[in-house]
Structure formats: C-alpha cells, structure tokens
mmCIF file of all heavy atoms in Angstrom:
data_model
loop_
_atom_site.group_PDB
_atom_site.id
_atom_site.type_symbol
_atom_site.label_atom_id
_atom_site.label_comp_id
_atom_site.label_asym_id
_atom_site.label_seq_id
_atom_site.Cartn_x
_atom_site.Cartn_y
_atom_site.Cartn_z
ATOM 1 N N VAL A 184 -58.418 36.992 -73.226
ATOM 2 C CA VAL A 184 -57.418 36.315 -72.417
ATOM 3 C C VAL A 184 -57.432 36.864 -70.995
ATOM 4 O O VAL A 184 -57.553 38.070 -70.782
ATOM 5 C CB VAL A 184 -56.015 36.514 -73.027
ATOM 6 C CG1 VAL A 184 -54.955 35.859 -72.147
ATOM 7 C CG2 VAL A 184 -55.970 35.959 -74.433
ATOM 8 N N GLN A 185 -57.335 35.963 -70.035
ATOM 9 C CA GLN A 185 -57.245 36.378 -68.637
ATOM 10 C C GLN A 185 -56.016 35.751 -68.004
ATOM 11 O O GLN A 185 -55.734 34.560 -68.219
ATOM 12 C CB GLN A 185 -58.491 35.977 -67.857
ATOM 13 C CG GLN A 185 -59.721 36.786 -68.203
ATOM 14 C CD GLN A 185 -60.887 36.508 -67.286
ATOM 15 O OE1 GLN A 185 -60.980 35.437 -66.691
ATOM 16 N NE2 GLN A 185 -61.793 37.477 -67.166
ATOM 17 N N LEU A 186 -55.288 36.566 -67.233
ATOM 18 C CA LEU A 186 -54.107 36.107 -66.518
ATOM 19 C C LEU A 186 -54.270 36.464 -65.056
ATOM 20 O O LEU A 186 -54.573 37.614 -64.733
ATOM 21 C CB LEU A 186 -52.845 36.773 -67.072
ATOM 22 C CG LEU A 186 -52.559 36.589 -68.556
ATOM 23 C CD1 LEU A 186 -51.356 37.444 -68.966
ATOM 24 C CD2 LEU A 186 -52.293 35.132 -68.878
ATOM 25 N N VAL A 187 -54.051 35.496 -64.184
ATOM 26 C CA VAL A 187 -54.185 35.723 -62.746
ATOM 27 C C VAL A 187 -52.912 35.269 -62.061
ATOM 28 O O VAL A 187 -52.562 34.082 -62.102
ATOM 29 C CB VAL A 187 -55.403 34.977 -62.167
ATOM 30 C CG1 VAL A 187 -55.486 35.221 -60.666
ATOM 31 C CG2 VAL A 187 -56.680 35.431 -62.863
ATOM 32 N N GLU A 188 -52.224 36.228 -61.428
ATOM 33 C CA GLU A 188 -50.984 35.916 -60.724
ATOM 34 C C GLU A 188 -51.255 35.582 -59.253
ATOM 35 O O GLU A 188 -52.236 36.069 -58.671
ATOM 36 C CB GLU A 188 -50.008 37.107 -60.765
ATOM 37 C CG GLU A 188 -49.591 37.556 -62.144
ATOM 38 C CD GLU A 188 -50.290 38.805 -62.580
ATOM 39 O OE1 GLU A 188 -51.425 39.043 -62.102
ATOM 40 O OE2 GLU A 188 -49.729 39.563 -63.386
ATOM 41 N N SER A 189 -50.374 34.808 -58.683
ATOM 42 C CA SER A 189 -50.438 34.499 -57.257
ATOM 43 C C SER A 189 -49.038 34.195 -56.760
ATOM 44 O O SER A 189 -48.122 33.965 -57.557
ATOM 45 C CB SER A 189 -51.370 33.310 -56.997
ATOM 46 O OG SER A 189 -50.896 32.168 -57.656
ATOM 47 N N GLY A 190 -48.877 34.208 -55.437
ATOM 48 C CA GLY A 190 -47.615 33.797 -54.840
ATOM 49 C C GLY A 190 -46.749 34.900 -54.304
ATOM 50 O O GLY A 190 -45.692 34.628 -53.724
ATOM 51 N N GLY A 191 -47.149 36.134 -54.474
ATOM 52 C CA GLY A 191 -46.347 37.228 -53.945
ATOM 53 C C GLY A 191 -46.427 37.302 -52.434
ATOM 54 O O GLY A 191 -47.201 36.582 -51.794
ATOM 55 N N GLY A 192 -45.612 38.175 -51.856
ATOM 56 C CA GLY A 192 -45.632 38.342 -50.416
ATOM 57 C C GLY A 192 -44.366 38.960 -49.899
ATOM 58 O O GLY A 192 -43.564 39.505 -50.662
ATOM 59 N N LEU A 193 -44.194 38.852 -48.586
ATOM 60 C CA LEU A 193 -43.024 39.389 -47.912
ATOM 61 C C LEU A 193 -42.049 38.255 -47.615
ATOM 62 O O LEU A 193 -42.445 37.206 -47.089
ATOM 63 C CB LEU A 193 -43.448 40.065 -46.610
ATOM 64 C CG LEU A 193 -42.332 40.539 -45.673
ATOM 65 C CD1 LEU A 193 -41.517 41.636 -46.330
ATOM 66 C CD2 LEU A 193 -42.936 41.018 -44.351
ATOM 67 N N VAL A 194 -40.791 38.474 -47.931
ATOM 68 C CA VAL A 194 -39.761 37.463 -47.676
ATOM 69 C C VAL A 194 -38.482 38.164 -47.257
ATOM 70 O O VAL A 194 -38.221 39.300 -47.662
ATOM 71 C CB VAL A 194 -39.540 36.593 -48.936
ATOM 72 C CG1 VAL A 194 -39.007 37.421 -50.098
ATOM 73 C CG2 VAL A 194 -38.636 35.411 -48.647
ATOM 74 N N GLN A 195 -37.692 37.492 -46.440
ATOM 75 C CA GLN A 195 -36.427 38.058 -46.003
ATOM 76 C C GLN A 195 -35.368 37.908 -47.089
ATOM 77 O O GLN A 195 -35.460 37.004 -47.930
ATOM 78 C CB GLN A 195 -35.954 37.360 -44.729
ATOM 79 C CG GLN A 195 -36.817 37.652 -43.514
ATOM 80 C CD GLN A 195 -36.232 37.064 -42.245
ATOM 81 O OE1 GLN A 195 -35.384 36.190 -42.278
ATOM 82 N NE2 GLN A 195 -36.698 37.571 -41.111
ATOM 83 N N PRO A 196 -34.382 38.785 -47.086
ATOM 84 C CA PRO A 196 -33.274 38.636 -48.043
ATOM 85 C C PRO A 196 -32.668 37.242 -47.945
ATOM 86 O O PRO A 196 -32.478 36.707 -46.840
ATOM 87 C CB PRO A 196 -32.289 39.715 -47.590
ATOM 88 C CG PRO A 196 -33.146 40.764 -46.957
ATOM 89 C CD PRO A 196 -34.239 40.009 -46.256
ATOM 90 N N GLY A 197 -32.387 36.680 -49.105
ATOM 91 C CA GLY A 197 -31.862 35.325 -49.167
ATOM 92 C C GLY A 197 -32.931 34.255 -49.267
ATOM 93 O O GLY A 197 -32.623 33.090 -49.527
ATOM 94 N N GLY A 198 -34.171 34.652 -49.085
ATOM 95 C CA GLY A 198 -35.270 33.701 -49.144
ATOM 96 C C GLY A 198 -35.751 33.416 -50.550
ATOM 97 O O GLY A 198 -35.173 33.902 -51.533
ATOM 98 N N SER A 199 -36.823 32.642 -50.633
ATOM 99 C CA SER A 199 -37.375 32.219 -51.920
ATOM 100 C C SER A 199 -38.877 32.459 -51.965
ATOM 101 O O SER A 199 -39.555 32.442 -50.936
ATOM 102 C CB SER A 199 -37.112 30.725 -52.152
ATOM 103 O OG SER A 199 -35.728 30.447 -52.195
ATOM 104 N N LEU A 200 -39.347 32.683 -53.166
ATOM 105 C CA LEU A 200 -40.785 32.762 -53.446
ATOM 106 C C LEU A 200 -41.027 32.129 -54.803
ATOM 107 O O LEU A 200 -40.147 32.156 -55.676
ATOM 108 C CB LEU A 200 -41.269 34.209 -53.490
ATOM 109 C CG LEU A 200 -41.612 34.932 -52.189
ATOM 110 C CD1 LEU A 200 -42.011 36.372 -52.492
ATOM 111 C CD2 LEU A 200 -42.707 34.221 -51.423
ATOM 112 N N ARG A 201 -42.227 31.618 -54.969
ATOM 113 C CA ARG A 201 -42.625 31.078 -56.271
ATOM 114 C C ARG A 201 -43.893 31.780 -56.709
ATOM 115 O O ARG A 201 -44.921 31.705 -56.026
ATOM 116 C CB ARG A 201 -42.857 29.570 -56.203
ATOM 117 C CG ARG A 201 -43.073 28.922 -57.562
ATOM 118 C CD ARG A 201 -43.181 27.418 -57.435
ATOM 119 N NE ARG A 201 -43.294 26.741 -58.711
ATOM 120 C CZ ARG A 201 -42.249 26.321 -59.428
ATOM 121 N NH1 ARG A 201 -41.017 26.507 -58.965
ATOM 122 N NH2 ARG A 201 -42.428 25.706 -60.594
ATOM 123 N N LEU A 202 -43.814 32.469 -57.831
ATOM 124 C CA LEU A 202 -44.975 33.119 -58.425
ATOM 125 C C LEU A 202 -45.594 32.191 -59.452
ATOM 126 O O LEU A 202 -44.890 31.461 -60.154
ATOM 127 C CB LEU A 202 -44.581 34.429 -59.091
ATOM 128 C CG LEU A 202 -43.837 35.456 -58.236
ATOM 129 C CD1 LEU A 202 -43.584 36.719 -59.056
ATOM 130 C CD2 LEU A 202 -44.584 35.761 -56.965
ATOM 131 N N SER A 203 -46.910 32.266 -59.541
ATOM 132 C CA SER A 203 -47.611 31.460 -60.541
ATOM 133 C C SER A 203 -48.608 32.335 -61.284
ATOM 134 O O SER A 203 -49.184 33.261 -60.721
ATOM 135 C CB SER A 203 -48.336 30.297 -59.863
ATOM 136 O OG SER A 203 -48.907 29.439 -60.826
ATOM 137 N N CYS A 204 -48.780 32.058 -62.543
ATOM 138 C CA CYS A 204 -49.734 32.775 -63.380
ATOM 139 C C CYS A 204 -50.605 31.756 -64.093
ATOM 140 O O CYS A 204 -50.081 30.892 -64.813
ATOM 141 C CB CYS A 204 -48.989 33.642 -64.388
ATOM 142 S SG CYS A 204 -50.032 34.440 -65.629
ATOM 143 N N ALA A 205 -51.903 31.873 -63.889
ATOM 144 C CA ALA A 205 -52.855 30.971 -64.537
ATOM 145 C C ALA A 205 -53.545 31.717 -65.665
ATOM 146 O O ALA A 205 -54.085 32.801 -65.471
ATOM 147 C CB ALA A 205 -53.875 30.477 -63.520
ATOM 148 N N ALA A 206 -53.526 31.112 -66.833
ATOM 149 C CA ALA A 206 -54.117 31.731 -68.016
ATOM 150 C C ALA A 206 -55.398 31.019 -68.395
ATOM 151 O O ALA A 206 -55.513 29.792 -68.260
ATOM 152 C CB ALA A 206 -53.139 31.671 -69.181
ATOM 153 N N SER A 207 -56.351 31.783 -68.873
ATOM 154 C CA SER A 207 -57.609 31.203 -69.343
ATOM 155 C C SER A 207 -58.028 31.891 -70.634
ATOM 156 O O SER A 207 -57.570 32.984 -70.951
ATOM 157 C CB SER A 207 -58.694 31.324 -68.280
ATOM 158 O OG SER A 207 -58.925 32.682 -67.941
#
C-alpha cells in the first residue's frame, strides 16, 4: 500500500487548507 499526502503549507489563523491523500 502507498499513501501520498498533499495540500499542506503556510496559512494565517482563521484560514483554510485542504489536505488530500491518494492511495494506491
């Protein structure tokens, strides 16, 4: 099984981020 995450980063308080994980 392989899992690859993406979507991280720097954001200001109150902001939003969306993380995604793709499985194979």
